[in-house]
Amino acid sequence: MLLAVDAGNTNIVFALFDGREVRARWRIATDARRTGDEYAVWLTQLLALEGLERSAVDRVIISTVVPRALHNLEVLSTKYFATEPLIAGRAPVEWGMDLDVEEPQNLGADRAVNAIAAHALHEGDLIIVDFGTASTIDWIDYRGAYKGGIIAPGINLSLDALVSAAAKLPRIAIEAPATNSVVGRNTVDQMNIGIYWGYIAMIEGLVARMRAEIGRPAKVIATGGLAILFEKHTDVFDAVEHDLTLRWLAMLAERAHMG
């Protein structure tokens, strides 16, 4: 089986693939100081809950936007799964796409993997909205070239900044308001409206501007852990791909194995 590791700024997601099917998925808070031994203890217990031994994993692929976390994840792979991990973006799993931007070396692995995966799954120009620690909106043209995009604060970052800077505001859970009204009658409702509907308005507005700049029809693909929070309350998304990054990591690993 393949263990695909997607290391983001907030969480690291481990997905166990049996072929192209996700057998199990686990999430842990990102901590660059966490050692390979610590990962191994945690994963061994989770594998056991699935009725599996560590020996069931014979391939590992890692995508990370946290460089300091990479070494310990590599140690996890070599020491506990006895396999040299594939690193997304490095031979033999290079991006294989045209990065038509001024600083291609600075494109995050997560955004590159999303771009490749979306182009493999959908035709034409694409706009990918990824809800993560930061919210990113990226344009991939009909040929599969990455053309650029937008980086905005993620919704949790926005809420944390608001609560930290305003002493009397309470910490609230991010959720869809009970109604479509944008007139809150109490502090919590007003905060929820501002964060939730404000965020939807930002995404809809930026996507509209990007579509106008592209000048051709463009399908909008949503992904990321919080995509499910917004998909039922806006019609801006043409498709939601919850496992976009992980699915493409599996496809990259399969390509390298076959090659």
Side-chain angles (χ1 to χ4, degrees):
M1 292 186 183
L2 169 72
L3 181 66
V5 184
D6 177 23
N9 288 299
T10 302
N11 293 306
I12 301 179
V13 181
F14 296 80
L16 188 65
F17 281 86
D18 189 353
R20 291 194 179 182
E21 297 299 317
V22 178
R23 170 74 178 268
R25 185 190 295 102
W26 308 292
R27 185 181 299 263
I28 193 171
T30 301
D31 183 349
R33 298 169 300 175
R34 187 173 283 116
T35 67
D37 300 329
E38 290 174 299
Y39 285 125
V41 170
W42 178 73
L43 275 174
T44 299
Q45 293 175 334
L46 291 170
L47 284 166
L49 291 175
E50 296 293 324
L52 297 170
E53 301 287 339
R54 285 204 316 268
S55 57
V57 175
D58 61 355
R59 290 176 296 147
V60 176
I61 186 168
I62 301 169
S63 172
T64 181
V65 295
V66 187
R68 289 179 56 221
L70 179 58
H71 172 71
N72 288 324
L73 290 169
E74 289 179 299
V75 169
L76 167 70
S77 179
T78 56
K79 183 176 180 180
Y80 291 98
F81 295 113
T83 184
E84 193 69 29
L86 299 168
I87 310 299
R90 299 182 187 175
V93 285
E94 299 95 340
W95 300 135
M97 66 181 298
D98 180 18
L99 302 180
D100 187 14
V101 288
E102 294 177 0
E103 300 173 336
Q105 72 279 5
N106 290 334
L107 180 65
D110 53 344
R111 299 170 77 184
V113 170
N114 283 345
I116 300 167
H119 180 67
L121 296 170
H122 301 275
E123 296 181 348
D125 286 86
L126 304 173
I127 296 172
I128 303 173
V129 182
D130 188 355
F131 295 96
T133 304
S135 289
T136 58
I137 305 176
D138 293 311
W139 169 28
I140 296 84
D141 74 8
Y142 61 94
R143 300 167 300 174
Y146 176 81
K147 304 295 287 186
I150 299 165
I151 302 174
I155 191 168
N156 282 307
L157 283 180
S158 299
L159 179 59
D160 287 345
L162 178 64
V163 173
S164 297
K168 294 186 68 175
L169 293 182
R171 180 164 296 280
I172 63 171
I174 298 172
E175 57 186 2
T179 72
N180 290 340
S181 173
V182 293
V183 180
R185 302 282 289 170
N186 57 67
T187 299
V188 170
D189 284 351
Q190 290 171 11
M191 290 176 66
N192 201 17
I193 289 166
I195 290 291
Y196 189 85
W197 291 118
Y199 210 73
I200 284 181
M202 180 190 77
I203 296 299
E204 290 176 341
L206 289 174
V207 166
R209 286 175 174 268
M210 187 175 284
R211 272 180 158 156
E213 191 167 335
I214 293 169
R216 295 185 297 270
K219 181 181 289 187
V220 180
I221 312 298
T223 191
L226 291 175
I228 193 172
L229 186 63
F230 299 102
E231 62 177 307
K232 294 181 180 178
H233 292 85
T234 178
D235 58 3
V236 73
F237 306 134
D238 296 298
V240 178
E241 301 282 0
H242 295 293
D243 287 326
L244 193 60
T245 302
L246 293 170
R247 286 174 64 188
W248 189 250
L249 286 177
M251 293 169 72
L252 280 175
E254 182 180 271
R255 179 190 298 171
H257 183 68
M258 297 295 291

